[in-house]
Amino acid sequence: MSSTGEAAGTLSAPQVERYHRQIILPELGLAGQRDLLARRVLVVGAGALGSPAALYLAAAGVGTIGIADGDRVDVSNLHRQVLHGTGDVGRPKTASAKNRLAALNPGVRVVEHRQYLDRTNVLAVMAQYDVVVDGSDSFATRYLVNDAAVQLGKPLVSAAILRFEGQLLVFRPGAGCYRCVFPEPPPAGTVPNCAEAGVLGAVAGVVGSAQAVEALKLLAEVGEPAVGRLSLYDAWTGTWQQVRFHRDPTCAVCGDRPTITSLIDYDAWCGVPADSASEGAPEVSAEEAWRLHQSGVPLVDVRPLAEYRRGHVRGSVPVGPVADGSDLPASVAGAAAPLVVCVCLQGVRSAQAARRFSAAGQRAVSLQGGLLAWARAGLPWDSSSAGD
Amino acid sequence: MITGHLPRDLAEEFQSPAALTVEGVDTLTALWAVMERRHPGLGRWLCEPDGAMRQHLTLFVGWRRVPWADAPLPRAEGQEVWILRAVSGG
């Protein structure tokens, strides 16, 4: 680990006062606090997980905190992304985060990386830090950060949340990586994100704070970091479970014969189209979809049934996530539909489904903006159990 | 008895409990079959048509990860089986 600045010196009186409750922990002590002040941590994503993680890392006195995010604050972020306030809406998340962390602890240095990490910049950014905390919100970034961490030999604290559940994984060089646990991402469009399936904001607080704890142990080299364990948090039952994993000798990145030895096109690998989720998929507006439906064109909802039950376009038929090569279910195909309109919550998964149907020979279009656009247009929707 | 643990959203999708207990099976293949019988579609969601577990899923038996390629497994009587897949929310 790097050692700079205050590590060599003693703590000032204000520092001793600020960190006193931490310093009196014999496992940490003055030496541990000095270590923290000299360390550098990168938080990938100033979102739901990055918020509590960064706040606790700053409060604990980690000397340099990098924040990597290219997004801006949206009002829909605020129920879970506690780094940002109402007055920050529209601002870059890194700027908002920097202000908040500086207000919390002016003794730490916050470095903005106001960009989305990709294969052209990730190595240069991550190389500046001792530990990486990944709270990103896409599979492409998760695999990118993992592969870069393996290449650079950086410890990685990775976490993810969805609805009432969280996953937390800690990796040290040589002791397995994200791909040892999840060799492949789910097929694009089959696992919803928080925007689609929702998340209880406080779940991010629990899991992001746990990320901070693990990062602090790695940074100060104290305790027993949860390396080789996948911690599963279920807020619904209020339980944590842990399962164990080891480095997988067949892992494509850290295995005995790695097949991925340089950074790849992660969007393509995760099935994300290059420019937009709807690239190549014809889209129709909510009003046009309504007119098509009135003329007999089926509306097919491509989300999991549980999501469909929570709210769906009136008259739509649930067909579930659409994989490559999927055919229309017999119930729809039986109507010899020359055209179908694919529907999901926001129009992302429906665009993917429309492309897949089209590739399989079924003419399909996607409802632009999904159920949300449909509802905004004042068109009828239901949250009944129709389709059970 | 085997207890199979599923992600909550997946369990909800197939109207299954998140922790599914099954008596009298000693292989994962048998467990998948019971899951499919009790909750139609669940077994097919977990496995390819040839019975192999889908590659994006990860499996833990007795609290330890079992690489998917090694399934089906030897005796798993009394085991806790966790069926997980990556999520990306953050």
Side-chain angles (χ1 to χ4, degrees):
Chain A
M1 291 200 177
S2 67
S3 180
T4 58
E6 290 166 333
T10 56
L11 299 184
S12 65
Q15 285 176 320
V16 171
E17 187 176 10
R18 175 181 282 268
Y19 304 118
H20 179 257
R21 303 298 191 278
Q22 208 163 259
I23 290 169
I24 61 174
L25 293 170
E27 295 83 355
L28 196 72
L30 274 168
Q33 188 62 54
R34 277 199 301 269
D35 283 345
L36 288 180
L37 286 163
R39 299 296 188 231
R40 305 167 62 93
V41 64
L42 175 68
V43 178
V44 181
L49 292 167
S51 287
L55 285 165
Y56 276 111
L57 291 167
V62 177
T64 301
I65 300 174
I67 306 284
D69 202 319
D71 201 5
R72 289 178 179 270
V73 179
D74 183 87
V75 71
S76 66
N77 300 150
L78 300 182
H79 91 290
R80 66 195 186 284
Q81 300 186 13
V82 296
L83 268 174
H84 318 296
T86 305
D88 296 315
V89 170
R91 297 181 68 204
K93 286 186 178 178
T94 53
S96 171
K98 185 171 185 173
N99 287 0
R100 179 75 181 89
L101 297 177
L104 174 65
N105 187 351
V108 302
R109 177 170 163 256
V110 180
V111 179
E112 286 185 66
H113 299 282
R114 196 179 295 180
Q115 58 196 332
Y116 292 109
L117 295 183
D118 60 32
R119 60 177 164 167
T120 69
N121 59 23
V122 67
L123 293 174
V125 171
M126 283 175 53
Q128 303 169 41
Y129 296 92
D130 300 311
V131 170
V132 178
V133 172
D134 184 9
S136 61
D137 63 357
S138 76
F139 287 116
T141 305
R142 288 184 183 282
Y143 284 92
L144 167 77
V145 168
N146 174 73
D147 294 1
V150 172
Q151 271 199 34
L152 293 167
K154 301 287 184 186
L156 172 64
V157 182
S158 179
I161 50 172
L162 187 68
R163 303 190 69 216
F164 296 96
E165 294 178 303
Q167 298 176 346
L168 171 69
L169 304 107
V170 183
F171 305 105
R172 258 188 182 139
C177 76
Y178 190 76
R179 286 181 188 264
C180 293
V181 183
F182 299 114
E184 293 189 8
T190 61
V191 177
N193 58 28
C194 293
E196 295 162 330
V199 62
L200 187 68
V203 171
V206 172
V207 179
S209 299
Q211 277 186 287
V213 170
E214 293 304 321
L216 288 169
K217 288 190 289 184
L218 289 167
L219 289 160
E221 300 182 31
V222 298
E224 297 175 12
V227 176
R229 283 175 273 167
L230 164 55
S231 302
L232 302 162
Y233 176 60
D234 184 345
W236 195 257
T237 56
T239 53
W240 282 93
Q241 302 278 359
Q242 279 192 334
V243 290
R244 290 182 176 274
F245 64 87
H246 299 283
R247 186 182 74 90
D248 183 348
T250 68
C251 175
V253 170
C254 76
D256 294 340
R257 291 189 185 85
T259 54
I260 299 174
T261 55
S262 59
L263 302 180
I264 60 174
D265 182 342
Y266 292 87
D267 281 343
W269 187 69
C270 291
V272 180
D275 295 319
S276 75
S278 60
E279 184 185 43
E283 293 182 312
V284 294
S285 66
E287 292 80 4
E288 179 61 15
W290 169 255
R291 281 192 290 276
L292 288 169
H293 187 46
Q294 294 303 299
S295 66
V297 173
L299 304 175
V300 294
D301 193 308
V302 299
R303 298 173 297 160
L305 189 56
E307 249 193 285
Y308 174 88
R309 290 193 188 103
R310 287 194 287 272
H312 54 265
V313 166
R314 184 172 296 165
S316 60
V317 178
V319 300
V322 177
D324 283 335
S326 287
D327 292 322
L328 271 180
S331 57
V332 180
L339 175 68
V340 295
V341 178
C342 298
V343 183
C344 67
L345 184 67
Q346 295 181 306
V348 177
R349 287 171 288 173
S350 60
Q352 292 164 338
R355 275 197 310 277
R356 288 179 174 141
F357 277 141
S358 298
Q362 168 63 55
R363 201 169 147 236
V365 296
S366 170
L367 170 57
Q368 189 175 39
L371 172 63
L372 297 179
W374 178 275
R376 278 197 300 271
L379 294 166
W381 61 280
D382 295 308
S383 58
S384 67
S385 58
D388 285 359
Chain B
M1 185 178 75
I2 290 174
T3 302
H5 298 270
L6 297 167
R8 188 166 293 282
D9 63 318
L10 178 63
E12 187 182 335
E13 174 68 13
F14 292 99
Q15 297 178 295
S16 159
L20 196 69
T21 53
V22 179
E23 300 272 2
V25 297
D26 60 3
T27 66
L28 284 170
T29 307
L31 176 62
W32 307 149
V34 173
M35 286 181 164
E36 176 65 26
R37 208 162 46 242
R38 287 190 191 171
H39 305 285
L42 177 56
R44 280 174 283 149
W45 194 95
L46 298 170
C47 298
E48 303 286 356
D50 65 0
M53 195 154 161
R54 295 195 188 274
Q55 291 194 18
H56 68 277
L57 299 177
T58 193
L59 187 69
F60 292 82
V61 177
W63 312 101
R64 290 186 178 276
R65 179 168 185 268
V66 179
W68 65 271
D70 290 352
L73 295 174
R75 292 179 59 82
E77 181 65 30
Q79 295 282 22
E80 302 269 335
V81 176
W82 294 79
I83 301 154
L84 301 170
R85 44 103 172 99
V87 295
S88 67

